[in-house]
Amino acid sequence: MLLDLSGVLSEQHTELIQDADIDMTGFQTGYGSFPILKKTPVSIRVTHMKERRFRITGSGRVTLEIPCDRCLEPVETELVLDFVKNIDLSVPDGGQTEELDETNYIDGYTLDVDELIRGEILTGWPMKILCSEDCKGICNVCGQNLNQGTCDCEDTGLDPRMSVIRDVFKNFKEV
Ligand SMILES: [Zn+2]
Ligand SMILES: [Zn+2]
């Protein structure tokens, strides 16, 4: 959703308060794409402090589907969004100092809510995603989900990525 900031931008000491919808249905990163299963509108408050200085606060929730780090089964993961941004629109993008935030989600008089939330999802991305604390993961050799059953492979202790490389190698030799 795009928010029209022209009112609050044109006058100091004014405020814009709005519940904004998140339009995106998934979250794309260089690592993959993650469906958004649930989302609340984001309560956004834009405050024009003085001159070209603004504060943007927001809160909401999004639930993403992220694969378990060990077994790759999808896990419903809720992220709580709760942020405060201090921005100065007289400073060109890239010239932000430590106390100021990026403004890549503001273009002229328009605030791109999805772009803003995309940054917040990245910031709040969990360090670790597990379907359960005692997830047994997948067999490094045959790929069996060890939560669902066992296999007869010997535990070679190999990294699963190694078996991918081994398969590539095997296919290469068969050509
Ligand atoms: Zn798991
Ligand atoms: Zn196995």
Side-chain angles (χ1 to χ4, degrees), residues 56-173:
I56 301 176
T57 63
S59 61
R61 284 161 199 273
V62 291
T63 303
L64 293 144
E65 189 177 280
I66 308 176
C68 171
D69 287 343
R70 288 187 200 148
C71 71
L72 305 179
E73 286 296 312
V75 182
E76 272 196 32
T77 309
E78 185 183 70
L79 297 184
V80 176
L81 308 169
D82 195 8
F83 55 86
V84 180
K85 306 253 169 223
N86 289 299
I87 58 180
D88 186 340
L89 289 180
S90 60
V91 180
D93 243 353
Q96 315 299 0
T97 57
E98 269 177 32
E99 85 245 33
L100 293 174
D101 290 293
E102 295 279 343
T103 55
N104 60 334
Y105 45 84
I106 295 179
D107 184 16
Y109 291 100
T110 308
L111 189 158
D112 185 333
V113 175
D114 281 61
E115 194 59 40
L116 172 62
I117 295 309
R118 210 167 279 142
E120 289 308 305
I121 291 177
L122 259 189
T123 308
W125 198 260
M127 296 292 288
K128 202 164 154 190
I129 303 286
L130 290 178
C131 61
S132 75
E133 273 303 317
D134 56 358
C135 171
K136 298 190 186 74
I138 53 175
C139 168
N140 289 340
V141 181
C142 71
Q144 164 74 39
N145 183 332
L146 298 174
N147 300 308
Q148 293 164 4
T150 53
C151 62
D152 296 324
C153 302
E154 279 180 48
D155 183 5
T156 59
L158 280 180
D159 191 291
R161 281 166 295 182
M162 284 305 293
S163 70
V164 172
I165 292 169
R166 233 175 18 227
D167 287 347
V168 169
F169 207 66
K170 210 164 58 192
N171 293 338
F172 182 71
K173 277 196 290 195

